[in-house]
Amino acid sequence: MGLTISRAVQWSSDGDQLENSPLNNDILTEILLFTEGFEDRHPQEASIPFCEPLQWNTSLEAADFTSDIYNTRGESAVSLECDDKGRPLLQLSPPAITVHSFYHLSNLLKLSKDKKMKEVWACLEGELLCMHSLLYYCFWLLSCIFVVCVLLPREGRLSPAAVNTEVDLLKRENRVLKSVHYTSDYVFSNGCRSPPWRQMEGEICSLIIETCDTEPTLFITCNTSGVFLNEVRKLSRFYKDIVTLLKNQSPHFAAAADEQVLLNTTQIQQFTLFQHINLKLWASLNINMSNRCICVCVCVCMRSKSPGGADDFSESSSEDEEDEEKPERRAEIPTDLPSEYWQIQKLVKYLKGANQTATVIVLCTLRDFNLVQETCQLAIRDVGGLEVLINLYFKNGYFTLPCSAETIANVAKFRRARRTVRQYGGIKRLVELLDCLPDSVSLSAEQERDADVARCGALALWSCSKSTRNKESIRQAGGIPLLARLLKSSQKNMLIPVVGTLQECASEKSYRIAIQTEGMIEDLVKNLSCDNQELQMHCASAIFKCAEDKHTRDLVRQYDGLKPLVMLLNKAENKQLLAATTGAIWKCSISLENVAKFQEYRALEILVGLLKDQPEEVLVNVVGALGECAQISENLATIRKSGGIQPLVKLLSGTNQALLVNVTKAVGACATDPENMPIIDRLDGVRLLWSLLKNPSPDVQASAAWAICPCIENAKDAGEMVRSFVGGLELIVNLLKSQNKDVLASVCAAIAKIAKDVENLAVISDHGVVPMLANLTNTVDDKLRRYLAEAIACCCMWGSNCVSFGEAGAVAPLVHYLHSKDPLVHQATARALFELSKDPNNCITMHENGVVKLLLIMIGSTDAILQEAAASCVANIRCLALANDKAKNG
C-alpha cells in the first residue's frame, strides 16, 4: 500500500517531500474524506488497534483535544482508551503524535478543523518515507475501499491493466470463444502492446478474437477511449470494454453473458487492482482483518441445505463413517438462478488458482455479496469453494485465533466441512487449544486470552464431533482429559461447548467409559442445578446417553442427580431441555433403586401429565420412562389413578417406530395389573397391539407381541377376545417365519398364552404351528429356547400335536437345551419334554439322547416346577421301559 501510494504521488526534486501539485491535492483530499468519515461508516473496524502506530510531527496542541475521550496534562494529551498492553491509543507529546486506530485517526481529523489537510499531509509524508505502519493496516482498509478511487482509470477510460485482465478472463471462456490472441507479444513498460506512435493516440493493444458464431474473425483495437472493430473504424462506435463489444457482435456470447457466466465490469476493475498491489504485502497483512473476510464468507454459507435436498447441516450425533463418505446428492442446476450465483462461482474459480494478493481481494469481493441468501451459499458450495476456504485457515495459520476457531465451529456443522477439518489436521490442533486453566481467582490477561481460545476450540470440536471419525480423532488427540478439566469451570460460556462436545461424543462407548473414569458425572450432575437452560439441556443429554450403563445410573443417584432431573420437568416450555431431561430419567429408571427415588419425588404423576401435546421426541422418552417405572407394581396403580392409561393406548395408533416400541412396552406393563386390563380392553388397546404385528419394524412387532402376553393372561374372556380378531391367529403364526430372534421369542411367548384356550389351540394347529415351531428347535439362543419350549409344551395339549412334534424332529434338539446355563431354559424345557414324553416314540428319542441323566440332576433343583416336570418326564420314560420289559417277559 505504501509502495503504491509512493508511486502514485508526486515528490519534490530532492525526493524527501511531497510536491504541492493538483494530483497530490486530489489524492490527499480523497484520503482525508475517507479517513474522517471512516469511524461513522465502519465503527467496528475503526476500533481495531494497529499492531504498530502511525507517527508524525503534528501542528496540533493539547488544547485542541477538547473531546471527553482525551485527557490533557500540560502540553501532552492521551486517550482514555488503551490497548491490551495499557498503552493509550492516541498520545500527543509535541511535536510528535502517535495514533493506534482509525477511530482516533478519524476523531483527530475532526478536531483539527482547518488544519485537516495539513495533518494528512504530514502523516502521509512521514509514513511514506519510512514505508512502515501503513504496510500493515492501511492496505487492508484503504486499498480495498479508497485506493480504487486513486489508482483505477477515471470512468470511461481504459487502462492497459484493465484490458490485460479482461483478456486473461476471456481466454478462459472456451465455451463461448474459440480463441483470443494479441497481435503483438511485446509489452512496453507502461503495459501497452501497441507501437509508441499509436500509443500517442491512446491505443493500448490490438486483438484477434474468434467467436463460436460469427464470421469472419474479429479484429479489435483497445484504446483508452474504448474498444472498436478495425474494419469499420470510421463507422464504428466505441464500446466501454471488450465484453460489451462481443455481446454486440456475437449472439452466442451475449446469451452467455446474460446468464452471468462472465464477470461483470465492476469485478474486472476489482481484479485490475491486483496488478497494482505488491505481492509482498500479503505477509504484512493484519491477520485478524484477513481472517474476518474468510470468517464471513465461510460461516454464513454453511447454514443452507444442499441443492438436492440432502440435509448436510446436521445437529445429530448419529452420523456414521459411511454417511460421512457418501457423495453428496446434487440436483440439476436450474437455469433461472440469479446473477449472483454465476458471479460468485466465477470468483471462487478464480480463487482456486489465484496468487496471494488476488486471494485477499477475492475474499473481500465475496464478502460484499449477501451470503445469507441461499443461492449465494449454494454457489460457493457447488463450485467446491468450501474446501478452498477451509484450507486457507490451516495454510496461513488463521485457526489459532479465537475468531477462526469460532468460524470452524460454524463451518463444521456441514458434513463435508467436518471431513475437511479432520483431513487437514484440524482436530489435533483444535484439541491443543483446550490446554488452559479453566478457572482461577484471578487470571492474567494472557490466561484470559488462553481461556477464550479454549472456549472457541471447544465450540469447534463440538461441531466436529458430529462425525464418528472425528470423535475418535478427538479421543486420540487427548481431548478427553482436557475436556474433563474444563468441565470444572464455572463459566457458562466455557461449559456449554465443553458439555455439548461430551454429549455428542457420549454416543461412543469409549467416551461413556471415560466420562465415568474421569469423574465427569459429578460435574454433569452439579450443572443440572445451574441457572442456564442450555447448559442444563446438554448435561441432561450427556446423562441420557451415559446412563445406558448401570454404574453411571448408580453414580447419578449417588451424586443426588435424580431430584434435579425431576425438577427440570417443570420447565416443559423448553422442549429441547424437556427432551433431554425425560431421556435422562428414562435411562436412569432402568435401575429399580432409581425408580424408588422417582416414586419418592412423585415423578410419575408429572410424566403422565406430559403424555399429551408434546413433540414425539419428548413422548418417546416419557413413555420409555413410564415403561421402566412400571417394573414396580405400586406404580401401575399410580399410572392408572393419574389417568395415564388412556393417553398411552391412544399412542398405539401412531407411526413413530421408536415411540411404538416404548408405548407397547408400557401398555404391556400396565396390563400385568388386573385392574388396568379392563380399561385397556375397553379402549380397544389389545386390538391396536395386535394390528402392530403387521408393522414392518421387527422391533415394533416384537414389542407388540410381548405386550399381548399379559393382555391375554389377564383378560376376562381371553379366548373369545383373541378369536374376535379376524385373521389375528394366522397373522401371529406366520410371524414364526421371521428372521429376527426377538420377534420369534416374543411370538412363541404369545403362542404359549394363546394355546391355553383349546379352541384357539385348534385354530393355530390348523395354521401349521407345530412344524413351524419344530423348525426353530435347533437355535442356540437361550431367550428363544425358553419361550419356544414353553410354546411346544402348551401346543402338545391338542390332538396329535405331541406325535407331530416327534415326527418333525423337535425332540432331540430339546434334550440339548438342558445343557444351557439358564435355569429358566431348564424349567421350560423340562415342561416341554414332559408333555412330549406322553408319546412312546418321543420317550425312545429322549432316552437315546441321554435325557435321563440330565433330568435326574434337575430333580434335585430347588425350583418346584422344574422338579415336578423333570420327575414326571423320567416317570413316563420309566413306565415305557417297564412296559417293554413286561412285554418281553410275558
Side-chain angles (χ1 to χ4, degrees):
M1 159 58 190
L3 293 172
T4 302
I5 295 182
S6 67
R7 291 171 180 169
V9 299
Q10 296 173 337
W11 296 88
S12 60
S13 56
D14 52 11
D16 60 353
Q17 288 184 332
L18 291 173
E19 186 177 297
N20 188 5
S21 66
L23 175 60
N24 282 355
N25 285 328
D26 286 345
I27 292 175
L28 266 62
T29 299
E30 292 287 345
I31 293 175
L32 169 61
L33 293 173
F34 167 79
T35 306
E36 186 176 14
F38 186 82
E39 187 268 331
D40 296 325
R41 295 191 303 274
H42 310 285
Q44 185 175 359
E45 286 79 1
S47 64
I48 298 173
F50 302 153
C51 287
E52 296 192 29
L54 296 173
Q55 296 176 321
W56 71 92
N57 290 335
T58 181
S59 60
L60 298 178
E61 300 174 352
D64 294 318
F65 290 86
T66 57
S67 173
D68 57 4
I69 63 174
Y70 300 107
N71 186 18
T72 59
R73 182 178 300 172
E75 295 182 350
S76 300
V78 295
S79 64
L80 298 177
E81 184 182 10
C82 299
D83 62 12
D84 55 9
K85 296 180 180 178
R87 298 176 302 183
L89 294 183
L90 182 144
Q91 187 168 2
L92 170 68
S93 298
I97 191 168
T98 304
V99 181
H100 285 261
S101 73
F102 268 98
Y103 172 78
H104 289 283
L105 195 61
S106 180
N107 273 303
L108 180 145
L109 291 176
K110 292 175 182 177
L111 296 171
S112 299
K113 299 179 181 178
D114 56 349
K115 301 177 184 177
K116 294 177 183 179
M117 184 63 78
K118 186 175 183 181
E119 288 301 311
V120 175
W121 191 287
C123 173
L124 291 179
E125 193 171 67
E127 287 297 332
L128 289 173
L129 286 172
C130 69
M131 297 299 196
H132 191 53
S133 299
L134 289 180
L135 285 175
Y136 284 94
Y137 299 102
C138 291
F139 165 75
W140 191 261
L141 294 172
L142 297 178
S143 69
C144 293
I145 303 174
F146 78 80
V147 174
V148 177
C149 304
V150 178
L151 297 180
L152 291 180
R154 297 186 182 276
E155 185 175 359
R157 306 285 290 181
L158 286 180
S159 69
V163 172
N164 185 59
T165 301
E166 192 174 10
V167 171
D168 286 345
L169 294 174
L170 289 172
K171 284 182 176 180
R172 302 180 187 183
E173 298 299 336
N174 51 15
R175 291 175 299 164
V176 290
L177 296 175
K178 291 182 179 179
S179 64
V180 179
H181 299 292
Y182 289 106
T183 57
S184 172
D185 292 331
Y186 183 79
V187 182
F188 291 89
S189 59
N190 62 0
C192 294
R193 295 173 184 260
S194 295
W197 59 89
R198 291 188 180 173
Q199 291 182 33
M200 296 291 290
E201 298 179 5
E203 284 195 12
I204 298 171
C205 65
S206 294
L207 296 166
I208 301 174
I209 298 179
E210 187 177 3
T211 67
C212 296
D213 59 344
T214 58
E215 291 292 344
T217 300
L218 302 177
F219 293 87
I220 297 172
T221 296
C222 299
N223 191 287
T224 55
S225 300
V227 181
F228 57 87
L229 289 172
N230 286 356
E231 289 84 350
V232 288
R233 178 173 177 177
K234 293 181 180 180
L235 301 176
S236 176
R237 64 182 178 90
F238 282 84
Y239 298 90
K240 64 179 181 179
D241 52 39
I242 304 171
V243 169
T244 305
L245 183 149
L246 290 173
K247 287 172 66 176
N248 186 268
Q249 297 294 318
S250 167
H252 181 70
F253 185 92
D258 289 340
E259 292 177 4
Q260 294 296 326
V261 176
L262 308 174
L263 287 174
N264 60 30
T265 305
T266 303
Q267 290 167 327
I268 292 172
Q269 290 176 339
Q270 289 168 337
F271 284 128
T272 304
L273 181 59
F274 299 167
Q275 317 303 323
H276 294 279
I277 302 172
N278 194 306
L279 294 181
K280 295 180 181 179
L281 291 174
W282 174 261
S284 303
L285 289 176
N286 179 319
I287 200 167
N288 283 290
M289 294 301 296
S290 305
N291 186 49
R292 190 180 299 272
C293 281
I294 306 177
C295 290
V296 172
C297 294
V298 182
C299 278
V300 182
C301 75
M302 290 307 103
R303 302 181 181 273
S304 71
K305 293 188 177 182
S306 64
D311 192 355
D312 294 315
F313 178 86
S314 173
E315 293 291 351
S316 169
S317 62
S318 62
E319 175 186 315
D320 57 25
E321 294 178 13
E322 292 184 2
D323 286 341
E324 191 189 50
E325 300 303 328
K326 282 180 183 177
E328 291 183 88
R329 291 179 288 171
R330 296 289 184 185
E332 187 175 340
I333 299 175
T335 56
D336 58 346
L337 286 168
S339 61
E340 289 83 357
Y341 180 92
W342 306 107
Q343 293 168 2
I344 289 174
Q345 287 221 328
K346 181 64 69 173
L347 283 169
V348 174
K349 288 177 182 177
Y350 197 95
L351 182 65
K352 288 181 177 180
N355 57 39
Q356 293 174 327
T357 307
T359 298
V360 175
I361 306 303
V362 169
L363 291 172
C364 291
T365 308
L366 282 174
R367 198 173 89 164
D368 290 338
F369 285 93
N370 179 19
L371 295 182
V372 177
Q373 189 177 357
E374 185 178 10
T375 51
C376 295
Q377 299 166 7
L378 297 181
I380 293 177
R381 290 170 52 180
D382 289 347
V383 79
L386 292 177
E387 286 84 352
V388 178
L389 292 168
I390 294 171
N391 189 26
L392 287 175
Y393 287 113
F394 302 117
K395 293 186 77 172
N396 300 306
Y398 293 140
F399 89 99
T400 57
L401 298 169
C403 58
S404 191
E406 279 189 289
T407 300
I408 293 179
N410 286 323
V411 169
K413 292 176 181 177
F414 176 58
R415 182 195 304 158
R416 183 149 50 104
R418 287 194 285 272
R419 182 170 67 245
T420 305
V421 170
R422 183 183 69 251
Q423 289 172 344
Y424 282 101
I427 298 294
K428 182 179 179 182
R429 298 165 82 175
L430 286 169
V431 168
E432 292 170 357
L433 301 183
L434 303 181
D435 193 4
C436 77
L437 295 173
D439 256 338
S440 179
V441 176
S442 60
L443 295 177
S444 66
E446 184 177 354
Q447 288 172 329
E448 287 181 353
R449 281 195 299 272
D450 288 344
D452 189 45
V453 168
R455 178 189 66 81
C456 296
L459 277 170
L461 288 173
W462 184 9
S463 295
C464 290
S465 64
K466 291 174 176 62
S467 158
T468 302
R469 289 187 178 182
N470 285 354
K471 290 173 188 174
E472 179 60 19
S473 296
I474 293 170
R475 189 189 66 78
Q476 291 178 353
I480 295 177
L482 294 175
L483 289 168
R485 188 169 70 182
L486 292 176
L487 192 55
K488 303 290 183 185
S489 173
S490 61
Q491 303 298 317
K492 304 298 186 298
N493 63 348
M494 174 73 81
L495 286 170
I496 289 172
V498 169
V499 180
T501 303
L502 288 171
Q503 67 89 13
E504 281 288 350
C505 294
S507 58
E508 300 298 313
K509 185 176 181 181
S510 59
Y511 275 89
R512 294 196 294 272
I513 295 172
I515 288 171
Q516 286 180 18
T517 56
E518 294 283 345
M520 288 187 259
I521 297 297
E522 183 177 8
D523 295 309
L524 292 172
V525 167
K526 180 184 69 175
N527 286 305
L528 287 174
S529 302
C530 72
D531 58 358
N532 184 291
Q533 291 192 5
E534 184 179 5
L535 179 56
Q536 289 173 322
M537 175 192 70
H538 293 309
C539 289
S541 181
I543 292 173
F544 176 18
K545 293 177 181 177
C546 293
E548 293 278 357
D549 180 82
K550 184 182 185 304
H551 183 51
T552 297
R553 297 196 293 270
D554 293 340
L555 288 175
V556 173
R557 184 180 67 256
Q558 290 167 19
Y559 291 127
D560 298 322
L562 300 179
K563 189 171 185 178
L565 285 172
V566 176
M567 297 296 291
L568 288 176
L569 292 176
N570 295 318
K571 299 181 179 179
E573 70 284 350
N574 185 332
K575 300 307 178 185
Q576 286 184 311
L577 175 58
L578 185 61
T581 302
T582 51
I585 290 175
W586 170 21
K587 296 304 179 181
C588 286
S589 62
I590 295 173
S591 296
L592 291 177
E593 301 90 336
N594 291 345
V595 173
K597 283 290 184 181
F598 287 134
Q599 279 182 282
E600 180 184 337
Y601 302 139
R602 302 186 66 83
L604 267 75
E605 291 86 345
I606 302 174
L607 289 170
V608 168
L610 295 173
L611 286 173
K612 298 177 182 177
D613 303 321
Q614 296 295 339
E616 287 186 338
E617 184 182 13
V618 173
L619 288 172
V620 169
N621 298 338
V622 170
V623 174
L626 288 172
E628 295 298 339
C629 290
Q631 297 172 95
I632 297 179
S633 58
E634 298 171 24
N635 290 337
L636 297 175
T638 303
I639 294 172
R640 181 181 70 252
K641 292 174 183 178
S642 301
I645 294 180
Q646 183 174 357
L648 282 172
V649 171
K650 186 177 181 181
L651 290 173
L652 289 172
S653 57
T655 57
N656 183 301
Q657 292 186 347
L659 179 56
L660 287 174
V661 169
N662 284 358
V663 76
T664 47
K665 180 179 180 180
V667 171
C670 289
T672 60
D673 186 335
E675 293 187 52
N676 289 344
M677 189 55 222
I679 303 174
I680 295 172
D681 194 15
R682 186 175 67 249
L683 295 170
D684 214 19
V686 184
R687 185 181 300 277
L688 290 170
L689 285 171
W690 216 285
S691 68
L692 289 175
L693 295 175
K694 294 184 285 187
N695 191 284
S697 166
D699 292 335
V700 176
Q701 291 174 349
S703 190
W706 287 122
I708 285 171
C709 295
C711 291
I712 295 174
E713 192 168 6
N714 293 307
K716 254 189 177 181
D717 189 357
E720 182 59 36
M721 178 187 72
V722 171
R723 284 191 295 277
S724 69
F725 306 143
V726 179
L729 290 174
E730 183 179 6
L731 171 63
I732 202 163
V733 170
N734 283 333
L735 281 178
L736 290 172
K737 300 174 183 177
S738 173
Q739 300 299 312
N740 185 285
K741 286 186 172 60
D742 198 34
V743 172
L744 293 173
S746 61
V747 169
C748 286
I751 286 174
K753 303 296 182 184
I754 293 168
K756 290 180 180 180
D757 179 88
V758 179
E759 290 186 47
N760 289 337
L761 176 55
V763 174
I764 61 175
S765 298
D766 290 343
H767 287 308
V769 72
V770 171
M772 288 187 184
L773 290 174
N775 286 337
L776 301 174
T777 52
N778 288 316
T779 182
V780 294
D781 183 87
D782 274 349
K783 186 177 181 181
L784 177 54
R785 279 176 165 182
R786 174 191 171 185
Y787 293 105
L788 175 58
E790 286 185 1
I792 290 174
C794 293
C795 288
C796 283
M797 305 294 186
W798 174 254
S800 60
N801 283 356
C802 179
V803 175
S804 299
F805 275 120
E807 293 172 349
V811 177
L814 279 173
V815 173
H816 296 295
Y817 288 11
L818 296 177
H819 293 286
S820 170
K821 295 180 181 180
D822 188 344
L824 293 175
V825 173
H826 296 166
Q827 185 193 93
T829 303
R831 288 180 57 222
L833 290 172
F834 164 59
E835 296 296 338
L836 290 167
S837 66
K838 295 175 182 179
D839 175 64
N841 290 327
N842 290 344
C843 287
I844 295 170
T845 305
M846 291 179 201
H847 189 272
E848 290 174 348
N849 283 274
V851 75
V852 175
K853 184 179 179 180
L854 294 171
L855 288 174
L856 288 175
I857 298 172
M858 303 295 171
I859 292 173
S861 170
T862 56
D863 182 344
I865 297 176
L866 174 58
Q867 267 186 340
E868 184 179 353
S872 299
C873 184
V874 170
N876 286 342
I877 296 173
R878 185 171 178 272
C879 288
L880 178 63
L882 290 173
N884 284 338
D885 288 342
K886 187 175 181 181
K888 288 178 182 178
N889 297 327

